[in-house]
Each structure stands twice: as C-alpha cells, then as structure tokens.
C-alpha cells in the first residue's frame, strides 16, 4: 500500500482503499471464495526507460492488485521449491545480478572461458493465459485456485504485460519451460539473458544451438543484435549481464 502507487482506471488510490479497509477486504475475500470476483478494466500507459525504449504497462485497480498479490504470495514458494533452478537469478528473493556474477566467476575459474551469450528477443511478448495456467497446473492441483489464476491472467491485454503484480510469476513460468532443456549445461540465466560456459569455441557454438532450440519450445528466439559467442578475453565476470549489453 505504497502511498505513491498510481490509481487504476477507477481513480481509487491506496489511501482511498484503506478507508474502511476491513470491510473492503472482507467483501473482496467473499467474492473470491464464491467465485464472483471479476477483474476490472486496466489502465494502460506508456513507459519510457532511460535507454529510450517505450513499452506499454498495465495499471490494475487497487482491489485487483490485492488479488494479484495474494495469488503471487501463494504461488512463488511453490515455484521456488519445484520449478526454478539454482542458476536462475532476478525477480527472486535474494537473487540478483551479484548472484549471477558469482556463479559466472565459478565457471570461469574452472577453466570455462568461452561463453554462449543469448539475450531473448521480446521475452514478455506473446503467450496465452491457458498455456500459463496449464504450466502452473503441473505444480498446483487446486482447481478453484487455477480458475482464479486463469481469470486474472486472461484479463490482461497480453499475459506478460508489465505493471501487474503477477508479472514475475508469469515470466518465470514461461522461461522455466526453456530452462528445463538446459539443466545439463554450465548455464546461468539472469532475467532473459542466458550464459552457457564452455572450454572451446566449438562447445560454445553447440551451446548456442541448444539455447535456441530450448527457446523454440515456447515460441521465443535469441535477439540477434545482443546474442553472440564470447571469446575468453570477453568473459570478465564484471562485464556480464549488463543492461542492453
């Protein structure tokens, strides 16, 4: 309930939602329990990053943000336990670029100086609510909860649109489908950037092909501008996983 969070399409802020909060939460909880909760329309805005990239973001109403956060709170521990690999960092508690760099340094010290560096093109584009729900259903058996999850995600103009509280869950659900094909490699994923370490140039090119094939399983491809094989002199740990690098 951050004071500066933008209101949704109904104009209601967190400050306004906090008024008579127990009653509001009780009403919302009853809607969820009885299956009557329906997502409200989203407010779509354009966000410009400091690199100049412009992308659409969705701002849900406050009451829908409460639902999204409740779903995320329930799902994230399951994904941490059953789905996300040790070599995946970003959008996870206690795992950031520093975590990824430490893991990269271990591979480099082991003599794996070549690297297949793959940045995923439009990792948040496309996708389907039913597909994401089916992936979650591999780890969650509660049909009522899955219906709630699908109802929430299906209301988004694009399942992985930025701005919703469910975005980290949806992103990891999707990328983990590609991760599953790479577990036997010395690999690190930081957000949508893969690095596979290798002893030789040939092995690095083979790893590049493996990542490309893994991404194809979920309809994604490497970004041709950002993806490359890094030679040993290009694999200093401090230079990896840089924004737009």
């Amino acid at each position: 309930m951050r004071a500066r969070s933008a209101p949704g399409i109904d104009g209601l802020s967190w400050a306004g939602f906090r008024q008579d909060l127990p009653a509001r939460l009780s009403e919302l909880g009853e809607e969820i329990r009885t299956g009557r909760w329906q997502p409200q329309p989203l407010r779509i805005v354009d966000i410009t990053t400091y690199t100049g990239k412009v992308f659409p973001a969705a701002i849900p109403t406050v009451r829908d943000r409460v639902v999204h956060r409740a779903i995320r709170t329930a799902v994230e521990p399951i994904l941490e336990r059953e789905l996300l690999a040790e070599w995946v960092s970003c959008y996870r508690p206690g795992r950031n670029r520093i975590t990824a760099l430490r893991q990269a340094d271990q591979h480099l010290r082991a003599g794996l100086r070549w690297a297949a560096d793959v940045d995923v093109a439009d990792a948040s584009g496309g996708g389907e609510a039913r597909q994401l729900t089916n992936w979650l259903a591999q780890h969650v058996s509660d049909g009522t909860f899955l219906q709630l999850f699908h109802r929430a995600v299906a209301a988004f103009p694009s399942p992985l649109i930025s701005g919703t509280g469910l975005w980290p869950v949806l992103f990891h659900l999707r990328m983990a489908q590609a991760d599953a094909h790479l577990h036997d490699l010395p690999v690190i994923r930081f957000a949508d950037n893969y690095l596979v370490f290798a002893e030789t140039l040939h092995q690095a090119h083979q790893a590049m092909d493996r990542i490309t094939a893994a991404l194809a399983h979920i309809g994604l491809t490497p970004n041709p501008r950002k993806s490359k094989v890094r030679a040993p002199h290009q694999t200093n740990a401090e230079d990896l996983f840089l924004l737009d690098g």
Side-chain angles (χ1 to χ4, degrees), residues 62-73:
V62 172
R63 74 193 316 266
D64 285 353
R65 274 180 252 180
V66 172
V67 178
H68 296 166
R69 190 67 193 194
I71 294 173
R72 178 178 170 182
T73 299

Side-chain angles (χ1 to χ4, degrees), residues 111-116 196-209 228-232 234:
L112 306 179
R113 302 294 305 181
W114 291 87
V196 176
F197 295 84
E199 291 183 346
T200 66
L201 173 62
H202 178 66
Q203 290 176 348
H205 279 294
Q206 287 182 320
M208 184 76 76
D209 292 340
K228 61 183 178 181
V229 169
R230 288 179 176 265
Q234 298 174 313

Side-chain angles (χ1 to χ4, degrees), residues 15 45 54 64 85 88 90 92 101 103 117 129 151-152 160 164 166 174 182 207 213 218 231 235 244:
V45 299
V54 179
D64 285 353
V88 173
C90 202
R92 299 177 67 183
L101 292 181
Q103 293 174 331
D117 186 350
R151 191 178 307 144
L160 276 79
T164 73
L166 285 177
R174 187 186 205 186
L182 304 173
I218 51 175
T235 54
D244 202 37

Side-chain angles (χ1 to χ4, degrees), residues 131 135 174 177-178 181 210-220:
Q131 182 184 52
W135 287 334
R174 187 186 205 186
Q177 311 311 309
H181 298 275
R210 284 279 303 275
I211 301 171
T212 301
L215 292 173
H217 284 280
I218 51 175
L220 295 176

Side-chain angles (χ1 to χ4, degrees), residues 106-225:
Q106 292 176 356
H107 292 307
L108 294 173
R109 289 178 182 274
L112 306 179
R113 302 294 305 181
W114 291 87
D117 186 350
V118 173
D119 185 276
V120 182
D122 196 19
S124 296
E128 299 177 353
R130 179 53 60 189
Q131 182 184 52
L132 287 157
T133 305
N134 288 340
W135 287 334
L136 182 61
Q138 298 174 22
H139 307 279
V140 173
S141 59
D142 187 323
T144 300
F145 184 86
L146 291 170
Q147 289 176 357
L148 176 67
F149 177 86
H150 181 265
R151 191 178 307 144
V153 177
F156 303 154
S158 174
L160 276 79
I161 189 168
S162 298
T164 73
L166 285 177
W167 188 88
V169 167
L170 304 180
F171 180 81
H172 279 313
L173 270 173
R174 187 186 205 186
M175 297 306 300
Q177 311 311 309
D179 296 348
H181 298 275
L182 304 173
H183 282 299
D184 60 321
L185 297 176
V187 58
I188 298 169
R189 174 166 67 82
F190 177 70
D192 59 358
N193 186 186
Y194 286 95
L195 270 177
V196 176
F197 295 84
E199 291 183 346
T200 66
L201 173 62
H202 178 66
Q203 290 176 348
H205 279 294
Q206 287 182 320
M208 184 76 76
D209 292 340
R210 284 279 303 275
I211 301 171
T212 301
L215 292 173
H217 284 280
I218 51 175
L220 295 176
T221 60
N223 183 319
R225 181 177 69 84

Side-chain angles (χ1 to χ4, degrees), residues 5-32:
S5 295
I9 199 168
D10 60 356
L12 182 64
S13 66
W14 279 118
F17 191 79
R18 279 195 296 266
Q19 298 179 21
D20 201 17
L21 182 61
R24 290 183 186 274
L25 292 179
S26 178
E27 179 184 12
L28 184 56
E30 184 65 12
E31 288 183 18
I32 293 172

